[in-house]
Amino acid sequence: MILGEYAVLAGGAAIVAAMAPRFGAVPLEGKPGWHASSPAGKLERWATAKGLDVPAFRLNDPWNGAGGFGGSTAEFVLLYHALAEQTKWSLSAVGAHRMYRELTAGDPVPPSGADLVAQWSGGVVRFDPVPGSIEPRGAVFDWRKLLVFSATHQPGRKVATHEHLAVLADHGFDGSAEPPLVAVLRAILADFDQALSLSNTDDQVVGAALTRYAQVLSKAGFESPEASEDRRALCEIPGVLGAKGCGAMLTDAVIVLATDAPARADAVRLATARGLRLVNGLNGLNGPRGLNGSEKGINA
């Protein structure tokens, strides 16, 4: 999730990226053992109740359990894909997202499914859940400038998304009314998206929007202290135009926009010293392993 956390839960748009390496499926004998409350677990129960033959597989996870990259969503998408022949479901991001939302509608605060749309579509997309629109955002902006660091390997860092969503019901994200916070986040994303779409992209605006989005969430109590400290330290590097965390409480990953090679190298050194792991960027790729590529997040 490059930009859009929390706002997308209340119907706002989000800019979401799928990164290689991709998730895959490995056939299993017996039952796969998905967590009952996970999206795949809910889909398995639905399919079993319908008398469908539910294939057993485990997730082939090249991220080795690193959180924040959509592993549980990939399980759902792969199972949806595997059941499609029996159900005649549409093999599209829209069809998969519709089923995902139906199965999670009973949750106190249902997950947005924005990561599902990104994994199915590949590359970088703008997802607007109200009209269900999916638009590519990889054509103009050079995503090689964006560094992505994993953070969830740090002890105690990962925030369980399903548990966090339940808590958000007490903060006005239960669908009864749009929280005032969301209007501010929507405006920042609009500035960000407009800057992305210009033929001569204004990197200053893009970077400032990243930082401002995190600052607004921090003030609202939705940025962990660790994510806040990482962001502030990285933003002090000359040539770094913006930084923010990603995911629940912005703890899963840290993204940094840097304009030139020295700034990116300095950001990598500082982030590594802070215990973060570089997973994308600095390699100059703008294709399948970079954020601009059409690489999907799953091997379906």
Side-chain angles (χ1 to χ4, degrees):
M1 187 85 71
I2 295 174
L3 215 66
E5 290 95 343
Y6 297 93
V8 73
L9 296 171
I15 308 292
V16 197
M19 291 169 27
R22 296 183 291 173
F23 295 109
V26 178
L28 286 177
E29 296 292 336
K31 295 178 70 72
W34 292 302
H35 193 284
S37 62
S38 72
K42 291 178 179 180
L43 180 55
E44 179 188 16
R45 286 199 306 277
W46 180 92
T48 301
K50 296 290 185 181
L52 300 177
D53 180 21
V54 181
F57 64 86
R58 67 170 176 83
L59 189 69
N60 178 23
D61 181 6
W63 299 100
N64 296 317
F69 296 105
S72 63
T73 301
E75 289 178 339
F76 176 90
V77 174
L78 288 162
L79 181 55
Y80 177 95
H81 200 285
L83 291 169
E85 186 173 348
Q86 300 177 64
T87 60
K88 307 304 179 185
W89 281 333
S90 166
L91 284 177
S92 68
V94 172
H97 182 262
R98 183 183 302 115
M99 188 65 182
Y100 180 91
R101 291 286 287 177
E102 288 177 4
L103 290 174
T104 58
D107 294 358
V109 177
S112 69
D115 58 338
L116 182 157
V117 171
Q119 289 192 49
W120 196 292
S121 303
V124 186
V125 297
R126 181 188 185 273
F127 171 58
D128 192 334
V130 175
S133 62
I134 305 167
E135 302 171 358
R137 285 296 184 269
V140 178
F141 184 72
D142 185 355
W143 293 101
R144 290 175 296 183
K145 300 171 186 175
L146 198 70
L147 302 173
V148 183
F149 298 93
S150 173
T152 54
H153 57 278
Q154 296 179 2
R157 177 99 177 206
K158 173 65 177 170
V159 174
T161 302
H162 65 282
E163 295 176 3
H164 186 58
L165 287 174
V167 171
L168 289 180
D170 297 329
H171 292 271
F173 286 88
D174 58 357
S176 56
E178 181 175 293
L181 166 69
V182 173
V184 180
L185 298 177
R186 283 178 185 265
I188 297 172
L189 188 135
D191 291 343
F192 180 86
D193 193 33
Q194 183 179 32
L196 289 183
S197 304
L198 298 174
S199 57
N200 185 19
T201 306
D202 190 335
D203 292 344
Q204 297 281 349
V205 174
V206 173
L210 290 174
T211 301
R212 197 160 85 253
Y213 200 94
Q215 289 171 334
V216 169
L217 287 178
S218 181
K219 187 175 181 180
F222 296 132
E223 182 184 43
S224 73
E226 297 85 358
S228 181
E229 291 168 8
D230 287 337
R231 169 175 59 81
R232 289 170 180 161
L234 287 161
C235 283
E236 290 179 359
I237 298 173
V240 168
L241 301 182
K244 68 176 284 288
C246 303
M249 296 297 289
L250 306 187
T251 59
D252 293 345
V254 180
I255 56 177
V256 180
L257 180 63
T259 55
D260 52 39
R264 291 196 295 273
D266 288 343
V268 171
R269 279 192 289 270
L270 178 60
T272 302
R274 297 185 63 85
L276 302 172
R277 294 177 182 169
L278 179 68
V279 294
N280 187 84
L282 204 65
N283 51 23
L285 291 178
N286 214 28
R289 287 185 60 87
L291 295 183
N292 271 21
S294 60
E295 185 86 357
K296 295 183 179 182
I298 54 169
N299 273 321

